[in-house]
Amino acid sequence: MTSKPTGITSPSEQVALRHHLTGNPGATAATAHRAFEMRFTSTPRGARLARRLVAVRLDAWGVPYGTDAHDALVLIAAELTANAVVHGHVPGRDFHLRLDLHADARSTTTRVEVTDTRAERVPPRPGAVAAASGVTESGRGLLLVAGLATRWDWHPRCDGPGKTVWAVYEVEHAARLNRLADEAESEGSGGTVSHEEMSVLLHADQS
């Protein structure tokens, strides 16, 4: 867990986050985009530096230390950069990290991309990771990414040999699911909510 005091957990605080990112609390249609990218040495030290810069950048963008969203995104970045160093390492070549955040009136979506230059070692596709019963050490990292991210995948690098592994995390969507689950539990469901019930709750919340 990343450590810094204070966090955002309530729906009203999530709205405040969205207003902070859009820069205009009165304009529900406003959007904002933030981006950060940098190359790092393909070493454990480079991976640690990338993780720390992601943590600092997210906090500066309004996803504070100590929140579930911040912790999840930093962990996703840590796993992707570690995989780039361990499985995508090419001597003398760096890996590239890009962090994008898009905020509008309904959600805040963050995308983490990590590109390495090793083409012959590629990760499994999301479906293969989810279906694997016995996973390798590298597979466990991707299972963690799959569990945290809204969606993830990879594609060949467009400007040379290698690949880009990406993961998307929807901040507001995750917060809404947590809030709906809490509401369902308080209404006597015992904290057990089926996928069908959650879909109904989400539809009601969005309408």
Side-chain angles (χ1 to χ4, degrees), residues 152-205:
W152 75 276
D153 207 338
W154 66 271
H155 57 78
R157 183 182 168 201
C158 60
D159 57 349
K163 58 197 175 289
T164 296
V165 186
W166 57 267
V168 169
Y169 184 93
E170 295 183 17
V171 176
E172 186 70 7
H173 178 74
R176 187 163 63 247
L177 284 175
N178 290 337
R179 175 167 57 86
L180 291 172
D182 290 342
E183 290 175 356
E185 183 175 5
S186 68
E187 290 170 5
S189 66
T192 302
V193 183
S194 68
H195 289 294
E196 292 78 9
E197 291 170 327
M198 186 62 73
S199 297
V200 171
L201 288 168
L202 276 173
H203 180 73
D205 184 66

mmCIF file of all heavy atoms in Angstrom, residues 152-205:
data_model
loop_
_atom_site.group_PDB
_atom_site.id
_atom_site.type_symbol
_atom_site.label_atom_id
_atom_site.label_comp_id
_atom_site.label_asym_id
_atom_site.label_seq_id
_atom_site.Cartn_x
_atom_site.Cartn_y
_atom_site.Cartn_z
ATOM 1 N N TRP A 152 -7.064 -5.305 -19.740
ATOM 2 C CA TRP A 152 -5.646 -5.249 -20.069
ATOM 3 C C TRP A 152 -5.379 -6.143 -21.279
ATOM 4 O O TRP A 152 -6.180 -7.023 -21.608
ATOM 5 C CB TRP A 152 -4.783 -5.688 -18.885
ATOM 6 C CG TRP A 152 -4.785 -7.181 -18.668
ATOM 7 C CD1 TRP A 152 -5.716 -7.903 -17.966
ATOM 8 C CD2 TRP A 152 -3.842 -8.125 -19.187
ATOM 9 N NE1 TRP A 152 -5.403 -9.235 -18.003
ATOM 10 C CE2 TRP A 152 -4.257 -9.413 -18.756
ATOM 11 C CE3 TRP A 152 -2.693 -8.019 -19.957
ATOM 12 C CZ2 TRP A 152 -3.567 -10.564 -19.073
ATOM 13 C CZ3 TRP A 152 -1.988 -9.164 -20.282
ATOM 14 C CH2 TRP A 152 -2.434 -10.425 -19.844
ATOM 15 N N ASP A 153 -4.261 -5.929 -21.942
ATOM 16 C CA ASP A 153 -3.878 -6.757 -23.079
ATOM 17 C C ASP A 153 -2.477 -6.329 -23.514
ATOM 18 O O ASP A 153 -1.833 -5.526 -22.818
ATOM 19 C CB ASP A 153 -4.876 -6.615 -24.227
ATOM 20 C CG ASP A 153 -4.932 -7.868 -25.110
ATOM 21 O OD1 ASP A 153 -3.951 -8.646 -25.115
ATOM 22 O OD2 ASP A 153 -5.944 -8.052 -25.800
ATOM 23 N N TRP A 154 -2.022 -6.814 -24.641
ATOM 24 C CA TRP A 154 -0.728 -6.391 -25.174
ATOM 25 C C TRP A 154 -0.796 -6.406 -26.693
ATOM 26 O O TRP A 154 -1.679 -7.040 -27.301
ATOM 27 C CB TRP A 154 0.403 -7.303 -24.685
ATOM 28 C CG TRP A 154 0.334 -8.719 -25.192
ATOM 29 C CD1 TRP A 154 -0.324 -9.773 -24.616
ATOM 30 C CD2 TRP A 154 0.939 -9.222 -26.388
ATOM 31 N NE1 TRP A 154 -0.168 -10.896 -25.367
ATOM 32 C CE2 TRP A 154 0.603 -10.605 -26.465
ATOM 33 C CE3 TRP A 154 1.724 -8.668 -27.387
ATOM 34 C CZ2 TRP A 154 1.032 -11.417 -27.511
ATOM 35 C CZ3 TRP A 154 2.154 -9.466 -28.433
ATOM 36 C CH2 TRP A 154 1.812 -10.832 -28.487
ATOM 37 N N HIS A 155 0.128 -5.680 -27.322
ATOM 38 C CA HIS A 155 0.218 -5.655 -28.779
ATOM 39 C C HIS A 155 1.679 -5.470 -29.175
ATOM 40 O O HIS A 155 2.488 -4.959 -28.385
ATOM 41 C CB HIS A 155 -0.650 -4.540 -29.378
ATOM 42 C CG HIS A 155 -0.332 -3.175 -28.877
ATOM 43 N ND1 HIS A 155 0.749 -2.436 -29.312
ATOM 44 C CD2 HIS A 155 -0.942 -2.385 -27.948
ATOM 45 C CE1 HIS A 155 0.785 -1.268 -28.700
ATOM 46 N NE2 HIS A 155 -0.221 -1.221 -27.861
ATOM 47 N N PRO A 156 2.044 -5.881 -30.388
ATOM 48 C CA PRO A 156 3.421 -5.683 -30.833
ATOM 49 C C PRO A 156 3.780 -4.203 -30.853
ATOM 50 O O PRO A 156 2.936 -3.346 -31.137
ATOM 51 C CB PRO A 156 3.431 -6.271 -32.246
ATOM 52 C CG PRO A 156 2.284 -7.225 -32.262
ATOM 53 C CD PRO A 156 1.245 -6.614 -31.373
ATOM 54 N N ARG A 157 5.004 -3.903 -30.536
ATOM 55 C CA ARG A 157 5.491 -2.530 -30.594
ATOM 56 C C ARG A 157 5.386 -2.003 -32.020
ATOM 57 O O ARG A 157 5.766 -2.692 -32.972
ATOM 58 C CB ARG A 157 6.938 -2.503 -30.108
ATOM 59 C CG ARG A 157 7.565 -1.117 -30.053
ATOM 60 C CD ARG A 157 9.016 -1.223 -29.599
ATOM 61 N NE ARG A 157 9.729 0.030 -29.808
ATOM 62 C CZ ARG A 157 11.044 0.120 -29.898
ATOM 63 N NH1 ARG A 157 11.789 -0.978 -29.817
ATOM 64 N NH2 ARG A 157 11.620 1.286 -30.067
ATOM 65 N N CYS A 158 4.883 -0.798 -32.179
ATOM 66 C CA CYS A 158 4.592 -0.277 -33.519
ATOM 67 C C CYS A 158 5.815 0.308 -34.215
ATOM 68 O O CYS A 158 5.822 0.443 -35.444
ATOM 69 C CB CYS A 158 3.478 0.764 -33.455
ATOM 70 S SG CYS A 158 3.858 2.200 -32.425
ATOM 71 N N ASP A 159 6.853 0.677 -33.477
ATOM 72 C CA ASP A 159 7.986 1.365 -34.088
ATOM 73 C C ASP A 159 9.292 0.570 -33.991
ATOM 74 O O ASP A 159 10.372 1.134 -34.006
ATOM 75 C CB ASP A 159 8.180 2.746 -33.460
ATOM 76 C CG ASP A 159 8.370 2.675 -31.959
ATOM 77 O OD1 ASP A 159 8.155 1.594 -31.380
ATOM 78 O OD2 ASP A 159 8.733 3.707 -31.359
ATOM 79 N N GLY A 160 9.170 -0.750 -33.873
ATOM 80 C CA GLY A 160 10.364 -1.573 -33.788
ATOM 81 C C GLY A 160 10.063 -2.896 -33.117
ATOM 82 O O GLY A 160 8.898 -3.205 -32.814
ATOM 83 N N PRO A 161 11.081 -3.714 -32.869
ATOM 84 C CA PRO A 161 10.850 -5.001 -32.198
ATOM 85 C C PRO A 161 10.435 -4.802 -30.748
ATOM 86 O O PRO A 161 10.836 -3.847 -30.099
ATOM 87 C CB PRO A 161 12.218 -5.692 -32.296
ATOM 88 C CG PRO A 161 13.199 -4.560 -32.395
ATOM 89 C CD PRO A 161 12.505 -3.490 -33.183
ATOM 90 N N GLY A 162 9.624 -5.702 -30.267
ATOM 91 C CA GLY A 162 9.180 -5.621 -28.878
ATOM 92 C C GLY A 162 7.673 -5.643 -28.769
ATOM 93 O O GLY A 162 6.960 -6.004 -29.710
ATOM 94 N N LYS A 163 7.185 -5.240 -27.625
ATOM 95 C CA LYS A 163 5.747 -5.303 -27.346
ATOM 96 C C LYS A 163 5.362 -4.251 -26.314
ATOM 97 O O LYS A 163 6.217 -3.784 -25.553
ATOM 98 C CB LYS A 163 5.373 -6.689 -26.826
ATOM 99 C CG LYS A 163 6.134 -7.058 -25.567
ATOM 100 C CD LYS A 163 6.097 -8.523 -25.287
ATOM 101 C CE LYS A 163 6.979 -8.890 -24.086
ATOM 102 N NZ LYS A 163 8.425 -8.780 -24.401
ATOM 103 N N THR A 164 4.102 -3.913 -26.308
ATOM 104 C CA THR A 164 3.540 -3.003 -25.316
ATOM 105 C C THR A 164 2.456 -3.731 -24.536
ATOM 106 O O THR A 164 1.528 -4.282 -25.130
ATOM 107 C CB THR A 164 2.929 -1.758 -25.984
ATOM 108 O OG1 THR A 164 3.957 -1.015 -26.642
ATOM 109 C CG2 THR A 164 2.247 -0.862 -24.949
ATOM 110 N N VAL A 165 2.598 -3.766 -23.223
ATOM 111 C CA VAL A 165 1.569 -4.331 -22.350
ATOM 112 C C VAL A 165 0.851 -3.163 -21.685
ATOM 113 O O VAL A 165 1.498 -2.260 -21.152
ATOM 114 C CB VAL A 165 2.176 -5.267 -21.287
ATOM 115 C CG1 VAL A 165 1.068 -5.951 -20.484
ATOM 116 C CG2 VAL A 165 3.083 -6.310 -21.936
ATOM 117 N N TRP A 166 -0.476 -3.169 -21.747
ATOM 118 C CA TRP A 166 -1.231 -2.035 -21.218
ATOM 119 C C TRP A 166 -2.343 -2.529 -20.286
ATOM 120 O O TRP A 166 -2.809 -3.658 -20.385
ATOM 121 C CB TRP A 166 -1.834 -1.190 -22.340
ATOM 122 C CG TRP A 166 -2.744 -1.958 -23.278
ATOM 123 C CD1 TRP A 166 -2.399 -2.559 -24.451
ATOM 124 C CD2 TRP A 166 -4.150 -2.202 -23.100
ATOM 125 N NE1 TRP A 166 -3.491 -3.170 -25.015
ATOM 126 C CE2 TRP A 166 -4.564 -2.962 -24.221
ATOM 127 C CE3 TRP A 166 -5.066 -1.861 -22.121
ATOM 128 C CZ2 TRP A 166 -5.892 -3.381 -24.379
ATOM 129 C CZ3 TRP A 166 -6.388 -2.285 -22.265
ATOM 130 C CH2 TRP A 166 -6.790 -3.023 -23.392
ATOM 131 N N ALA A 167 -2.735 -1.634 -19.393
ATOM 132 C CA ALA A 167 -3.841 -1.921 -18.477
ATOM 133 C C ALA A 167 -4.615 -0.635 -18.241
ATOM 134 O O ALA A 167 -4.029 0.438 -18.118
ATOM 135 C CB ALA A 167 -3.327 -2.478 -17.154
ATOM 136 N N VAL A 168 -5.931 -0.761 -18.190
ATOM 137 C CA VAL A 168 -6.818 0.379 -17.966
ATOM 138 C C VAL A 168 -7.535 0.187 -16.634
ATOM 139 O O VAL A 168 -8.025 -0.910 -16.328
ATOM 140 C CB VAL A 168 -7.850 0.515 -19.111
ATOM 141 C CG1 VAL A 168 -8.929 1.525 -18.762
ATOM 142 C CG2 VAL A 168 -7.151 0.916 -20.401
ATOM 143 N N TYR A 169 -7.599 1.266 -15.865
ATOM 144 C CA TYR A 169 -8.285 1.252 -14.571
ATOM 145 C C TYR A 169 -9.252 2.424 -14.534
ATOM 146 O O TYR A 169 -8.850 3.563 -14.726
ATOM 147 C CB TYR A 169 -7.273 1.375 -13.436
ATOM 148 C CG TYR A 169 -7.857 1.279 -12.033
ATOM 149 C CD1 TYR A 169 -7.908 0.069 -11.362
ATOM 150 C CD2 TYR A 169 -8.346 2.404 -11.388
ATOM 151 C CE1 TYR A 169 -8.428 -0.021 -10.080
ATOM 152 C CE2 TYR A 169 -8.863 2.331 -10.110
ATOM 153 C CZ TYR A 169 -8.906 1.119 -9.454
ATOM 154 O OH TYR A 169 -9.425 1.038 -8.190
ATOM 155 N N GLU A 170 -10.520 2.129 -14.296
ATOM 156 C CA GLU A 170 -11.548 3.172 -14.234
ATOM 157 C C GLU A 170 -11.779 3.540 -12.775
ATOM 158 O O GLU A 170 -12.364 2.785 -12.016
ATOM 159 C CB GLU A 170 -12.838 2.703 -14.895
ATOM 160 C CG GLU A 170 -12.687 2.463 -16.394
ATOM 161 C CD GLU A 170 -13.993 2.077 -17.058
ATOM 162 O OE1 GLU A 170 -15.060 2.301 -16.445
ATOM 163 O OE2 GLU A 170 -13.952 1.550 -18.180
ATOM 164 N N VAL A 171 -11.316 4.719 -12.390
ATOM 165 C CA VAL A 171 -11.363 5.139 -10.989
ATOM 166 C C VAL A 171 -12.796 5.262 -10.506
ATOM 167 O O VAL A 171 -13.194 4.687 -9.498
ATOM 168 C CB VAL A 171 -10.611 6.477 -10.802
ATOM 169 C CG1 VAL A 171 -10.748 6.970 -9.367
ATOM 170 C CG2 VAL A 171 -9.153 6.319 -11.187
ATOM 171 N N GLU A 172 -13.614 6.011 -11.225
ATOM 172 C CA GLU A 172 -14.977 6.260 -10.770
ATOM 173 C C GLU A 172 -15.816 4.993 -10.823
ATOM 174 O O GLU A 172 -16.647 4.748 -9.955
ATOM 175 C CB GLU A 172 -15.622 7.357 -11.623
ATOM 176 C CG GLU A 172 -16.999 7.806 -11.137
ATOM 177 C CD GLU A 172 -16.924 8.597 -9.834
ATOM 178 O OE1 GLU A 172 -15.827 8.905 -9.392
ATOM 179 O OE2 GLU A 172 -17.977 8.893 -9.266
ATOM 180 N N HIS A 173 -15.605 4.157 -11.836
ATOM 181 C CA HIS A 173 -16.349 2.912 -11.941
ATOM 182 C C HIS A 173 -16.078 2.019 -10.737
ATOM 183 O O HIS A 173 -16.991 1.447 -10.143
ATOM 184 C CB HIS A 173 -15.962 2.183 -13.231
ATOM 185 C CG HIS A 173 -16.635 0.855 -13.404
ATOM 186 N ND1 HIS A 173 -17.965 0.731 -13.737
ATOM 187 C CD2 HIS A 173 -16.150 -0.408 -13.292
ATOM 188 C CE1 HIS A 173 -18.284 -0.547 -13.824
ATOM 189 N NE2 HIS A 173 -17.203 -1.258 -13.558
ATOM 190 N N ALA A 174 -14.808 1.915 -10.346
ATOM 191 C CA ALA A 174 -14.448 1.096 -9.195
ATOM 192 C C ALA A 174 -15.080 1.636 -7.917
ATOM 193 O O ALA A 174 -15.593 0.884 -7.085
ATOM 194 C CB ALA A 174 -12.932 1.037 -9.049
ATOM 195 N N ALA A 175 -15.054 2.957 -7.755
ATOM 196 C CA ALA A 175 -15.643 3.560 -6.564
ATOM 197 C C ALA A 175 -17.153 3.327 -6.529
ATOM 198 O O ALA A 175 -17.727 3.074 -5.471
ATOM 199 C CB ALA A 175 -15.344 5.054 -6.543
ATOM 200 N N ARG A 176 -17.814 3.390 -7.689
ATOM 201 C CA ARG A 176 -19.254 3.187 -7.738
ATOM 202 C C ARG A 176 -19.617 1.749 -7.386
ATOM 203 O O ARG A 176 -20.595 1.505 -6.681
ATOM 204 C CB ARG A 176 -19.777 3.555 -9.133
ATOM 205 C CG ARG A 176 -21.299 3.533 -9.222
ATOM 206 C CD ARG A 176 -21.801 4.280 -10.452
ATOM 207 N NE ARG A 176 -21.339 3.654 -11.679
ATOM 208 C CZ ARG A 176 -20.482 4.199 -12.527
ATOM 209 N NH1 ARG A 176 -19.968 5.379 -12.271
ATOM 210 N NH2 ARG A 176 -20.123 3.576 -13.639
ATOM 211 N N LEU A 177 -18.833 0.784 -7.877
ATOM 212 C CA LEU A 177 -19.086 -0.610 -7.530
ATOM 213 C C LEU A 177 -18.964 -0.836 -6.025
ATOM 214 O O LEU A 177 -19.789 -1.519 -5.422
ATOM 215 C CB LEU A 177 -18.114 -1.520 -8.279
ATOM 216 C CG LEU A 177 -18.384 -1.761 -9.757
ATOM 217 C CD1 LEU A 177 -17.257 -2.588 -10.350
ATOM 218 C CD2 LEU A 177 -19.714 -2.439 -9.982
ATOM 219 N N ASN A 178 -17.935 -0.254 -5.411
ATOM 220 C CA ASN A 178 -17.762 -0.390 -3.966
ATOM 221 C C ASN A 178 -18.938 0.225 -3.221
ATOM 222 O O ASN A 178 -19.435 -0.336 -2.243
ATOM 223 C CB ASN A 178 -16.457 0.287 -3.527
ATOM 224 C CG ASN A 178 -15.233 -0.466 -3.998
ATOM 225 O OD1 ASN A 178 -15.307 -1.655 -4.263
ATOM 226 N ND2 ASN A 178 -14.117 0.221 -4.100
ATOM 227 N N ARG A 179 -19.379 1.395 -3.681
ATOM 228 C CA ARG A 179 -20.502 2.064 -3.009
ATOM 229 C C ARG A 179 -21.782 1.246 -3.150
ATOM 230 O O ARG A 179 -22.535 1.083 -2.186
ATOM 231 C CB ARG A 179 -20.697 3.467 -3.604
ATOM 232 C CG ARG A 179 -21.916 4.191 -3.047
ATOM 233 C CD ARG A 179 -21.870 5.676 -3.414
ATOM 234 N NE ARG A 179 -21.784 5.882 -4.837
ATOM 235 C CZ ARG A 179 -22.845 5.921 -5.655
ATOM 236 N NH1 ARG A 179 -24.062 5.725 -5.161
ATOM 237 N NH2 ARG A 179 -22.698 6.152 -6.933
ATOM 238 N N LEU A 180 -22.037 0.701 -4.339
ATOM 239 C CA LEU A 180 -23.244 -0.083 -4.560
ATOM 240 C C LEU A 180 -23.233 -1.360 -3.729
ATOM 241 O O LEU A 180 -24.255 -1.787 -3.205
ATOM 242 C CB LEU A 180 -23.391 -0.409 -6.042
ATOM 243 C CG LEU A 180 -23.719 0.786 -6.947
ATOM 244 C CD1 LEU A 180 -23.633 0.371 -8.401
ATOM 245 C CD2 LEU A 180 -25.081 1.353 -6.624
ATOM 246 N N ALA A 181 -22.066 -1.973 -3.600
ATOM 247 C CA ALA A 181 -21.963 -3.172 -2.775
ATOM 248 C C ALA A 181 -22.246 -2.845 -1.313
ATOM 249 O O ALA A 181 -22.926 -3.599 -0.620
ATOM 250 C CB ALA A 181 -20.576 -3.787 -2.932
ATOM 251 N N ASP A 182 -21.732 -1.703 -0.840
ATOM 252 C CA ASP A 182 -21.994 -1.272 0.536
ATOM 253 C C ASP A 182 -23.474 -1.020 0.753
ATOM 254 O O ASP A 182 -24.052 -1.381 1.784
ATOM 255 C CB ASP A 182 -21.194 -0.013 0.867
ATOM 256 C CG ASP A 182 -19.704 -0.282 0.969
ATOM 257 O OD1 ASP A 182 -19.325 -1.465 1.118
ATOM 258 O OD2 ASP A 182 -18.924 0.688 0.884
ATOM 259 N N GLU A 183 -24.123 -0.382 -0.232
ATOM 260 C CA GLU A 183 -25.555 -0.097 -0.122
ATOM 261 C C GLU A 183 -26.356 -1.389 -0.090
ATOM 262 O O GLU A 183 -27.315 -1.525 0.682
ATOM 263 C CB GLU A 183 -25.997 0.783 -1.290
ATOM 264 C CG GLU A 183 -25.466 2.208 -1.227
ATOM 265 C CD GLU A 183 -25.833 3.010 -2.454
ATOM 266 O OE1 GLU A 183 -26.439 2.441 -3.387
ATOM 267 O OE2 GLU A 183 -25.506 4.223 -2.487
ATOM 268 N N ALA A 184 -25.970 -2.350 -0.926
ATOM 269 C CA ALA A 184 -26.682 -3.625 -0.950
ATOM 270 C C ALA A 184 -26.557 -4.347 0.380
ATOM 271 O O ALA A 184 -27.510 -4.932 0.882
ATOM 272 C CB ALA A 184 -26.135 -4.502 -2.082
ATOM 273 N N GLU A 185 -25.365 -4.286 0.976
ATOM 274 C CA GLU A 185 -25.150 -4.939 2.264
ATOM 275 C C GLU A 185 -25.978 -4.273 3.350
ATOM 276 O O GLU A 185 -26.573 -4.932 4.194
ATOM 277 C CB GLU A 185 -23.672 -4.887 2.624
ATOM 278 C CG GLU A 185 -23.337 -5.608 3.921
ATOM 279 C CD GLU A 185 -21.846 -5.644 4.184
ATOM 280 O OE1 GLU A 185 -21.092 -5.033 3.412
ATOM 281 O OE2 GLU A 185 -21.451 -6.293 5.174
ATOM 282 N N SER A 186 -26.056 -2.933 3.337
ATOM 283 C CA SER A 186 -26.813 -2.216 4.362
ATOM 284 C C SER A 186 -28.311 -2.453 4.236
ATOM 285 O O SER A 186 -29.053 -2.313 5.197
ATOM 286 C CB SER A 186 -26.512 -0.721 4.276
ATOM 287 O OG SER A 186 -27.031 -0.171 3.084
ATOM 288 N N GLU A 187 -28.750 -2.871 3.037
ATOM 289 C CA GLU A 187 -30.174 -3.121 2.829
ATOM 290 C C GLU A 187 -30.553 -4.569 3.132
ATOM 291 O O GLU A 187 -31.663 -5.014 2.848
ATOM 292 C CB GLU A 187 -30.557 -2.775 1.388
ATOM 293 C CG GLU A 187 -30.512 -1.276 1.126
ATOM 294 C CD GLU A 187 -30.655 -0.947 -0.357
ATOM 295 O OE1 GLU A 187 -30.887 -1.899 -1.151
ATOM 296 O OE2 GLU A 187 -30.550 0.226 -0.710
ATOM 297 N N GLY A 188 -29.610 -5.341 3.681
ATOM 298 C CA GLY A 188 -29.962 -6.659 4.165
ATOM 299 C C GLY A 188 -29.647 -7.808 3.241
ATOM 300 O O GLY A 188 -30.174 -8.906 3.406
ATOM 301 N N SER A 189 -28.780 -7.601 2.253
ATOM 302 C CA SER A 189 -28.446 -8.709 1.350
ATOM 303 C C SER A 189 -27.334 -9.584 1.917
ATOM 304 O O SER A 189 -26.930 -10.545 1.289
ATOM 305 C CB SER A 189 -27.995 -8.153 0.000
ATOM 306 O OG SER A 189 -26.773 -7.448 0.138
ATOM 307 N N GLY A 190 -26.813 -9.214 3.087
ATOM 308 C CA GLY A 190 -25.754 -10.009 3.686
ATOM 309 C C GLY A 190 -24.423 -9.848 3.005
ATOM 310 O O GLY A 190 -23.499 -10.614 3.245
ATOM 311 N N GLY A 191 -24.318 -8.864 2.154
ATOM 312 C CA GLY A 191 -23.051 -8.603 1.480
ATOM 313 C C GLY A 191 -22.804 -9.480 0.270
ATOM 314 O O GLY A 191 -21.770 -9.378 -0.369
ATOM 315 N N THR A 192 -23.779 -10.365 -0.076
ATOM 316 C CA THR A 192 -23.616 -11.219 -1.240
ATOM 317 C C THR A 192 -24.482 -10.681 -2.367
ATOM 318 O O THR A 192 -25.705 -10.694 -2.282
ATOM 319 C CB THR A 192 -24.045 -12.663 -0.920
ATOM 320 O OG1 THR A 192 -23.258 -13.134 0.169
ATOM 321 C CG2 THR A 192 -23.842 -13.566 -2.125
ATOM 322 N N VAL A 193 -23.851 -10.195 -3.421
ATOM 323 C CA VAL A 193 -24.563 -9.592 -4.536
ATOM 324 C C VAL A 193 -24.184 -10.338 -5.803
ATOM 325 O O VAL A 193 -23.003 -10.464 -6.132
ATOM 326 C CB VAL A 193 -24.200 -8.097 -4.690
ATOM 327 C CG1 VAL A 193 -25.020 -7.471 -5.809
ATOM 328 C CG2 VAL A 193 -24.437 -7.358 -3.385
ATOM 329 N N SER A 194 -25.176 -10.864 -6.513
ATOM 330 C CA SER A 194 -24.905 -11.592 -7.747
ATOM 331 C C SER A 194 -24.546 -10.625 -8.863
ATOM 332 O O SER A 194 -24.766 -9.414 -8.760
ATOM 333 C CB SER A 194 -26.137 -12.410 -8.159
ATOM 334 O OG SER A 194 -27.185 -11.531 -8.552
ATOM 335 N N HIS A 195 -24.026 -11.172 -9.972
ATOM 336 C CA HIS A 195 -23.706 -10.335 -11.119
ATOM 337 C C HIS A 195 -24.967 -9.667 -11.664
ATOM 338 O O HIS A 195 -24.942 -8.509 -12.088
ATOM 339 C CB HIS A 195 -23.041 -11.176 -12.212
ATOM 340 C CG HIS A 195 -21.659 -11.618 -11.865
ATOM 341 N ND1 HIS A 195 -20.611 -10.738 -11.728
ATOM 342 C CD2 HIS A 195 -21.143 -12.845 -11.605
ATOM 343 C CE1 HIS A 195 -19.506 -11.398 -11.426
ATOM 344 N NE2 HIS A 195 -19.812 -12.676 -11.335
ATOM 345 N N GLU A 196 -26.093 -10.417 -11.664
ATOM 346 C CA GLU A 196 -27.347 -9.849 -12.168
ATOM 347 C C GLU A 196 -27.813 -8.691 -11.293
ATOM 348 O O GLU A 196 -28.250 -7.651 -11.790
ATOM 349 C CB GLU A 196 -28.432 -10.935 -12.220
ATOM 350 C CG GLU A 196 -28.170 -12.018 -13.264
ATOM 351 C CD GLU A 196 -27.142 -13.043 -12.811
ATOM 352 O OE1 GLU A 196 -26.751 -13.016 -11.619
ATOM 353 O OE2 GLU A 196 -26.715 -13.851 -13.649
ATOM 354 N N GLU A 197 -27.728 -8.891 -9.976
ATOM 355 C CA GLU A 197 -28.137 -7.825 -9.055
ATOM 356 C C GLU A 197 -27.236 -6.607 -9.205
ATOM 357 O O GLU A 197 -27.713 -5.470 -9.166
ATOM 358 C CB GLU A 197 -28.090 -8.346 -7.617
ATOM 359 C CG GLU A 197 -29.159 -9.378 -7.307
ATOM 360 C CD GLU A 197 -28.928 -10.041 -5.961
ATOM 361 O OE1 GLU A 197 -27.768 -10.212 -5.568
ATOM 362 O OE2 GLU A 197 -29.922 -10.375 -5.299
ATOM 363 N N MET A 198 -25.927 -6.827 -9.366
ATOM 364 C CA MET A 198 -25.011 -5.715 -9.530
ATOM 365 C C MET A 198 -25.302 -4.958 -10.811
ATOM 366 O O MET A 198 -25.242 -3.726 -10.856
ATOM 367 C CB MET A 198 -23.559 -6.210 -9.535
ATOM 368 C CG MET A 198 -22.538 -5.081 -9.566
ATOM 369 S SD MET A 198 -22.628 -3.984 -8.119
ATOM 370 C CE MET A 198 -21.927 -5.041 -6.860
ATOM 371 N N SER A 199 -25.673 -5.673 -11.883
ATOM 372 C CA SER A 199 -26.007 -5.010 -13.139
ATOM 373 C C SER A 199 -27.236 -4.120 -12.971
ATOM 374 O O SER A 199 -27.292 -3.008 -13.486
ATOM 375 C CB SER A 199 -26.263 -6.054 -14.233
ATOM 376 O OG SER A 199 -25.104 -6.801 -14.492
ATOM 377 N N VAL A 200 -28.227 -4.626 -12.221
ATOM 378 C CA VAL A 200 -29.428 -3.826 -11.969
ATOM 379 C C VAL A 200 -29.077 -2.583 -11.165
ATOM 380 O O VAL A 200 -29.533 -1.473 -11.450
ATOM 381 C CB VAL A 200 -30.488 -4.671 -11.235
ATOM 382 C CG1 VAL A 200 -31.639 -3.798 -10.770
ATOM 383 C CG2 VAL A 200 -30.992 -5.785 -12.138
ATOM 384 N N LEU A 201 -28.241 -2.742 -10.124
ATOM 385 C CA LEU A 201 -27.834 -1.610 -9.302
ATOM 386 C C LEU A 201 -27.072 -0.581 -10.117
ATOM 387 O O LEU A 201 -27.293 0.627 -9.977
ATOM 388 C CB LEU A 201 -26.989 -2.096 -8.139
ATOM 389 C CG LEU A 201 -27.693 -2.856 -7.020
ATOM 390 C CD1 LEU A 201 -26.694 -3.515 -6.098
ATOM 391 C CD2 LEU A 201 -28.626 -1.938 -6.247
ATOM 392 N N LEU A 202 -26.167 -1.045 -10.971
ATOM 393 C CA LEU A 202 -25.389 -0.126 -11.805
ATOM 394 C C LEU A 202 -26.298 0.635 -12.754
ATOM 395 O O LEU A 202 -26.155 1.834 -12.968
ATOM 396 C CB LEU A 202 -24.334 -0.891 -12.596
ATOM 397 C CG LEU A 202 -23.033 -1.183 -11.862
ATOM 398 C CD1 LEU A 202 -22.156 -2.097 -12.707
ATOM 399 C CD2 LEU A 202 -22.292 0.101 -11.555
ATOM 400 N N HIS A 203 -27.287 -0.085 -13.343
ATOM 401 C CA HIS A 203 -28.209 0.575 -14.271
ATOM 402 C C HIS A 203 -29.012 1.648 -13.550
ATOM 403 O O HIS A 203 -29.211 2.751 -14.052
ATOM 404 C CB HIS A 203 -29.141 -0.458 -14.897
ATOM 405 C CG HIS A 203 -30.125 0.139 -15.854
ATOM 406 N ND1 HIS A 203 -29.781 0.594 -17.111
ATOM 407 C CD2 HIS A 203 -31.457 0.380 -15.712
ATOM 408 C CE1 HIS A 203 -30.851 1.075 -17.713
ATOM 409 N NE2 HIS A 203 -31.879 0.951 -16.878
ATOM 410 N N ALA A 204 -29.477 1.325 -12.345
ATOM 411 C CA ALA A 204 -30.245 2.303 -11.568
ATOM 412 C C ALA A 204 -29.399 3.486 -11.176
ATOM 413 O O ALA A 204 -29.851 4.635 -11.173
ATOM 414 C CB ALA A 204 -30.844 1.618 -10.325
ATOM 415 N N ASP A 205 -28.122 3.245 -10.844
ATOM 416 C CA ASP A 205 -27.238 4.311 -10.440
ATOM 417 C C ASP A 205 -26.933 5.246 -11.603
ATOM 418 O O ASP A 205 -26.728 6.446 -11.407
ATOM 419 C CB ASP A 205 -25.927 3.711 -9.921
ATOM 420 C CG ASP A 205 -24.976 4.767 -9.382
ATOM 421 O OD1 ASP A 205 -25.326 5.380 -8.360
ATOM 422 O OD2 ASP A 205 -23.905 4.946 -9.971
#
